[in-house]
Amino acid sequence: MPQVEKKILKAKEYERMVSSLDIESFELKTSSILEARMTLIGIERIEENLLEIRRQVSADMRSVKLKYLNYDYNKSSLLGSIKRTKVSSKRKSIDKKCDRELGPYENVLYIIDDYLEQIKDVKDYISKIKA
């Protein structure tokens, strides 16, 4: 079965996906048990979406790393000791490019992890109310 290559999304697209969840304006209503349960359901839906986005971001980061890992450093190198020097400098250059490309994705993961931590705190708070 042929393998279909998945398109790597840009970090900005993931940021838009996270912001479309409208987490910042989510209202926590806990004045009654029913409202607390409804709030909990809403939070769990947001959490599921965040976890799915996080999985996609991680998969795209792995794809980016793999792209640079498979880079052929010897393409246009000279022979001998010059070759080793060129490969080493090329490798450093490629590693820097990889880090620059992964930076925005790491920022998205940081944002998602921060939201997930806040969600955990809210879930703990609501569970104490229900008890």
Side-chain angles (χ1 to χ4, degrees):
M1 177 177 273
Q3 205 173 15
V4 177
E5 191 171 315
K6 184 183 154 286
K7 182 181 180 264
I8 297 175
L9 297 178
K10 295 186 188 239
K12 289 286 183 191
E13 294 175 56
Y14 286 117
E15 287 176 10
R16 279 193 285 277
M17 290 168 81
V18 170
S19 67
S20 73
L21 295 175
D22 210 18
I23 298 168
E24 296 295 324
S25 65
F26 187 80
E27 290 186 44
L28 299 176
K29 297 178 182 176
T30 58
S31 59
S32 71
I33 298 225
L34 179 62
E35 284 182 338
R37 285 185 179 156
M38 295 303 288
T39 299
L40 189 59
I41 290 169
I43 287 174
E44 287 173 345
R45 285 185 185 147
I46 290 172
E47 183 180 34
E48 288 172 9
N49 289 328
L50 285 173
L51 290 171
E52 180 58 33
I53 294 170
R54 190 178 199 300
R55 277 190 287 278
Q56 292 172 3
V57 171
S58 296
D60 284 354
M61 287 178 73
R62 282 191 300 276
S63 296
V64 168
K65 288 176 188 176
L66 187 62
K67 175 177 74 173
Y68 286 103
L69 188 63
N70 291 334
Y71 184 81
D72 185 9
Y73 297 103
N74 296 317
K75 272 187 194 171
S76 61
S77 298
L78 300 174
L79 298 173
S81 63
I82 297 172
K83 180 179 179 181
R84 278 191 293 275
T85 306
K86 264 195 170 273
V87 167
S88 176
S89 64
K90 250 186 181 179
R91 181 173 290 129
K92 288 178 186 176
S93 172
I94 296 300
D95 287 347
K96 285 181 184 179
K97 279 175 94 173
C98 181
D99 290 344
R100 276 194 305 269
E101 193 170 338
L102 290 175
Y105 291 101
E106 290 169 351
N107 187 42
V108 172
L109 286 180
Y110 175 78
I111 292 168
I112 290 172
D113 288 343
D114 186 47
Y115 279 137
L116 289 172
E117 186 64 32
Q118 291 177 36
I119 286 171
K120 179 185 170 293
D121 292 343
V122 170
K123 285 171 70 173
D124 290 344
Y125 173 75
I126 291 175
S127 68
K128 289 177 185 175
I129 290 174
K130 288 179 16 177

